[in-house]
Amino acid sequence: MPEPDRIRAAVRRYLDTVATGTAAEIAALYHPDATLEDPVGSPAHTGRAAIEKFYSPLESARRHTELLSLRVSGGNAAFSFRVVTETGGKTIMVEPIDVMTFDVDTQITGMRAFWSADDVDFG
Amino acid sequence: MPEPDRIRAAVRRYLDTVATGTAAEIAALYHPDATLEDPVGSPAHTGRAAIEKFYSPLESARRHTELLSLRVSGGNAAFSFRVVTETGGKTIMVEPIDVMTFDVDTQITGMRAFWSADDVDFG
């Protein structure tokens, strides 16, 4: 089980990469067999290729992410954060709560994002 | 799957009952076969009797709870909250992130609490 500080660093690296990286760079933070459920209740994406595809729409947007709250518990992380995307003159803001699991190398093995359309601010 | 508003009400009822109820009243909010993992990474408590026992130390403390952030996603809830307990002249404050699942009657079927000793403020 990775040390809490390594998990905190992995979460920050994830949010930094969501803000500035390519979809491939974001997907590279995941274990090759990882699963992603975003939002929770929707079908999960499994494997790095599917995960890269999930993030690819981000590439055409200006993005900003901000960590709001982070809890590390038994090798898992739960955190709330703000993500703002600007594309085609539209700004969209949402503050999900994500839960992540990690392997010993702090690759993300699972991500579940709790949010709904009610939480989206089209500012 | 319960409506989001019913899940939001169930989360508020849970936090109100943690603040003012007996352990039996808190346990009654759970499904008879529910599981509780608090903190995440520790062994789960299964069934209402075990869950009531888990909450019983609260009864000797003054308690205050406050919902900080709540996300409902596909019939599940993730929320951060503050819980302050006062017992024997000591005040303890912690702000976990909890994830809950519900049945159609909004009984809690599973609870996982993300926090660690690092997050506890002994004020």
Side-chain angles (χ1 to χ4, degrees), chain B residues 13-14 16-32 36 47-60 63 107-108:
Chain B
R13 186 167 60 237
Y14 168 75
D16 288 347
T17 310
V18 167
T20 63
T22 63
E25 287 167 340
I26 304 168
L29 302 176
Y30 282 82
H31 186 277
L36 180 161
R48 220 179 247 161
I51 289 171
E52 179 176 338
K53 191 173 172 191
F54 172 83
Y55 286 104
S56 61
L58 278 184
E59 293 189 342
S60 59
R63 297 152 268 159
Q107 282 196 316
I108 303 164

Side-chain angles (χ1 to χ4, degrees), chain B residues 50-109:
Chain B
I51 289 171
E52 179 176 338
K53 191 173 172 191
F54 172 83
Y55 286 104
S56 61
L58 278 184
E59 293 189 342
S60 59
R62 281 175 59 104
R63 297 152 268 159
H64 172 77
T65 59
E66 184 181 349
L67 182 62
L68 301 176
S69 176
L70 169 61
R71 295 292 173 264
V72 175
S73 193
N76 301 264
F79 56 100
S80 63
F81 66 105
R82 179 177 302 139
V83 57
V84 181
T85 58
E86 300 174 63
T87 177
K90 284 189 207 161
T91 300
I92 297 173
M93 197 266 282
V94 62
E95 294 180 358
I97 294 177
D98 277 17
V99 169
M100 280 185 174
T101 54
F102 301 89
D103 70 3
V104 290
D105 299 316
T106 64
Q107 282 196 316
I108 303 164
T109 53

Side-chain angles (χ1 to χ4, degrees), chain A residues 36-38 40-41 97-100 110-114, chain B residues 76 99:
Chain A
L36 180 160
E37 186 184 351
D38 185 349
V40 168
I97 294 178
D98 276 17
V99 168
M100 280 186 174
M111 187 275 261
R112 305 182 75 219
F114 293 78
Chain B
N76 301 264
V99 169

Side-chain angles (χ1 to χ4, degrees), chain A residues 27-69:
Chain A
L29 302 176
Y30 282 83
H31 186 277
D33 301 323
T35 58
L36 180 160
E37 186 184 351
D38 185 349
V40 168
S42 64
H45 305 267
T46 302
R48 220 180 248 159
I51 289 171
E52 179 176 338
K53 191 173 173 191
F54 171 83
Y55 286 105
S56 61
L58 278 184
E59 293 188 344
S60 59
R62 282 173 60 105
R63 297 154 266 157
H64 172 76
T65 60
E66 182 181 351
L67 182 62
L68 301 176
S69 176

Side-chain angles (χ1 to χ4, degrees), chain A residues 8 40 71 73 95 115 118, chain B residues 40 71 73 95 115 118:
Chain A
R8 288 186 196 100
V40 168
R71 295 292 173 263
S73 194
E95 294 180 358
W115 64 280
D118 291 346
Chain B
V40 168
R71 295 292 173 264
S73 193
E95 294 180 358
W115 63 281
D118 291 346

